[in-house]
Amino acid sequence: MRAFVTGGTGFIGGRMVERLLDDGWDVSALVRSPERAARIRDRGATLVLGDVTEPETFEDAVKGADALFHLAAYYALGVSDRELMMRINVGGTEAILRAAGAPVPRKGRGDSSVPQGLRTRGVTSREMDVLRLVGRGLTNADIAKNLFLSRRTVETHIASLLRKLDAQTRAQLMKEANTES
Ligand SMILES: NC(=O)c1ccc[n+]([C@@H]2O[C@H](COP(=O)([O-])OP(=O)(O)OC[C@H]3O[C@@H](n4cnc5c(N)ncnc54)[C@H](OP(=O)(O)O)[C@@H]3O)[C@@H](O)[C@H]2O)c1
């Protein structure tokens, strides 16, 4: 039986990997740093280099596992970086669950409030999420990663924004985003 473990370089995940190996499991461990993972590798774990915020790095390994232990977390006292914490702890957990085939609803509504000027032009909250990231110069691939959407969905939102804002180019969208923020 194969277990897939996240957080194997951490306090709890490290103990979990060792316990699973002691109990006879084959263990694949998602790790960001092979150096930090030397201990569990030497104990017999197979390392999967990746990150919980990058689904393409672990999807195949999760599919090949019989059990999943998700122990990776951005775990610190006091929230020092809320966005990072949300990306790793919430987005990362959702991505891991999706890779395991669990139904995880996507928040279709979006998180951004839409400024009045754009709301009257029909821009939705999710489109505003996308527009803000366009304004920060992110590529579609990075926007997809950031919002846990498919690239196709991001492209659809961009096409819709171009139409609603009467824009021809991404540069015009960037300008709109930066005018509004
Ligand atoms: N410690 C406790 O006493 C305790 C008690 C109850 C519950 N818990 C829960 O158990 C979980 C783990 O806690 P812990 O004490 O083991 O924390 P930890 O020692 O800080 O370990 C966190 C682990 O998560 C990994 N990680 C962080 N961000 C990642 C990312 N983006 N992609 C992949 N891996 C990532 C870290 O890898 P790197 O080595 O690459 O940083 C590390 O392996 C948390 O949810 C915590 O709330 C802990």
Side-chain angles (χ1 to χ4, degrees):
M1 298 281 274
R2 178 165 290 277
F4 180 82
V5 182
T6 70
T9 55
F11 180 68
I12 302 284
R15 302 302 176 284
M16 176 59 82
V17 168
E18 289 177 4
R19 175 65 191 265
L20 287 165
L21 290 167
D22 288 346
D23 286 354
W25 288 76
D26 292 323
V27 174
S28 297
L30 180 74
V31 300
R32 295 191 290 187
S33 152
E35 292 76 31
R36 283 198 293 279
R39 179 188 162 111
I40 57 170
R41 185 201 54 218
D42 292 348
R43 286 288 309 270
T46 301
L47 304 186
V48 177
L49 277 184
D51 192 299
V52 294
T53 64
E54 295 167 11
E56 65 281 6
T57 63
F58 55 77
E59 281 166 341
D60 289 346
V62 169
K63 286 189 177 69
D66 302 292
L68 166 67
F69 298 85
H70 176 45
L71 300 163
Y74 173 48
Y75 180 53
L77 290 180
V79 180
S80 51
D81 185 338
R82 186 175 190 278
E83 189 183 323
L84 184 65
M85 187 170 267
M86 291 298 288
R87 266 169 57 70
I88 294 176
N89 294 354
V90 178
T93 300
E94 289 178 347
I96 290 281
L97 287 172
R98 279 196 191 99
V104 182
R106 290 182 194 274
K107 281 190 289 164
R109 284 186 310 110
D111 299 319
S112 295
S113 62
V114 185
Q116 176 68 20
L118 294 181
R119 204 174 326 137
T120 54
R121 293 157 86 182
V123 173
T124 66
S125 176
R126 177 54 92 201
E127 286 166 354
M128 196 64 215
D129 291 341
V130 172
L131 185 62
R132 291 215 157 98
L133 297 178
V134 168
R136 281 167 46 190
L138 271 67
T139 63
N140 286 0
D142 285 337
I143 293 172
K145 208 177 280 178
N146 204 285
L147 296 176
F148 295 94
L149 299 171
S150 71
R151 241 161 107 164
R152 186 82 181 268
T153 302
V154 172
E155 284 161 14
T156 303
H157 286 313
I158 301 262
S160 172
L161 283 163
L162 287 166
R163 200 175 55 250
K164 289 178 180 177
L165 301 182
D166 267 330
Q168 311 296 321
T169 64
R170 198 177 183 92
Q172 284 174 281
L173 287 186
M174 283 178 85
K175 202 165 154 213
E176 284 280 3
N178 292 320
T179 310
E180 292 294 341
S181 57

